[in-house]
Amino acid sequence: MYRIVLGKVSDLSTGVLPHALYEQAPQGARRARWLAGRVLLSHALSPLPDIVYGEQGKPAFSADTPLWFNLSHSGDDIALLLSDEGEVGCDIEVVRPRENWKTLANTVFSLGEHAEIEAEHPDHQLATFWRIWTRKEAIVKQRGGSAWQIVSVDSTTLTTSLSVSQCQLETLSLAVCTPTPFTLTADAVQRL
């Protein structure tokens, strides 16, 4: 089972949570996103299982809960991927102008990923950049790695048993990396 839920940070961050979770929330700029993620998880699972953190800081449910999840946010949008199949990763990005996107692509994209961009009409290359970026981030997040590891991932030549799928939802690029085959479609996404 894979479940994908999208919401808005601004709406979810004011949702109801147990007092203990409010106490755990970081202060500052990350607080609203953290709270939104916990509220989104609470919508999907009640009661919310205990959350622990891996070596690289990836949140997970404690070992006695046979479920896995990953959260991602971009702007006011937040995505949750929930699974009973094993470790998962997801990434969501608002498809938006980015002045240095070509320089960034030259720094972290593989030859195959560059070929994917070059095959597109120039008007569609920015959207292709974001499509590749979300795939790479989902793969890194599935592994529990840091964003700096994105350069070591070639999303065009996965040789592992992982499944990577993505779709565009209006101005959002959404990608998931799952341990078993899964095809992400707009119909598979639940919105809160």
Side-chain angles (χ1 to χ4, degrees):
M1 167 278 305
Y2 295 107
R3 183 173 173 198
I4 300 105
V5 185
L6 294 183
K8 295 290 186 183
V9 171
S10 56
D11 295 335
L12 292 166
S13 64
T14 60
V16 177
L17 283 173
H19 182 72
L21 281 177
Y22 282 109
E23 294 294 317
Q24 294 175 20
Q27 297 300 314
R30 292 185 33 216
R31 184 175 179 83
R33 293 187 307 261
W34 192 95
L35 289 169
R38 295 314 181 266
V39 170
L40 193 55
L41 279 165
S42 293
H43 277 287
L45 296 170
S46 184
L48 184 60
D50 289 335
I51 295 175
V52 296
Y53 294 88
E55 285 180 24
Q56 303 242 5
K58 182 180 181 181
F61 294 126
S62 59
D64 59 335
T65 303
L67 295 171
W68 294 263
F69 74 93
N70 197 231
L71 291 161
S72 181
H73 52 80
S74 181
D76 193 37
D77 294 285
I78 186 166
L80 164 67
L81 172 59
L82 187 63
S83 164
D84 65 358
E85 303 281 332
E87 286 289 350
V88 292
C90 75
D91 189 48
I92 188 170
E93 296 289 343
V94 175
V95 177
R96 61 198 183 276
R98 184 175 183 135
E99 190 174 306
N100 67 342
W101 75 265
K102 288 183 181 181
T103 302
L104 188 55
N106 286 335
T107 304
V108 300
F109 284 8
S110 70
L111 293 175
E113 291 161 343
H114 278 288
E116 189 176 331
I117 289 174
E118 293 302 318
E120 292 288 340
H121 185 277
D123 293 345
H124 301 284
Q125 288 182 345
L126 179 63
T128 303
F129 165 83
W130 286 114
R131 187 171 62 238
I132 294 167
W133 186 271
T134 56
R135 281 196 321 245
K136 289 171 80 75
E137 282 264 359
I139 294 165
V140 168
K141 291 176 75 179
Q142 188 274 343
R143 296 175 180 170
S146 76
W148 299 109
Q149 295 170 335
I150 197 168
V151 71
S152 67
V153 171
D154 182 346
S155 66
T156 64
T157 61
L158 283 179
T159 58
T160 65
S161 60
L162 297 176
S163 173
V164 179
S165 184
Q166 75 185 117
C167 70
Q168 181 137 349
L169 306 165
E170 295 131 24
T171 62
L172 298 174
S173 179
L174 176 64
V176 297
C177 182
T178 56
T180 59
F182 176 72
T183 301
L184 180 62
T185 64
D187 291 340
V189 177
Q190 175 189 355
R191 292 184 185 254
L192 286 185

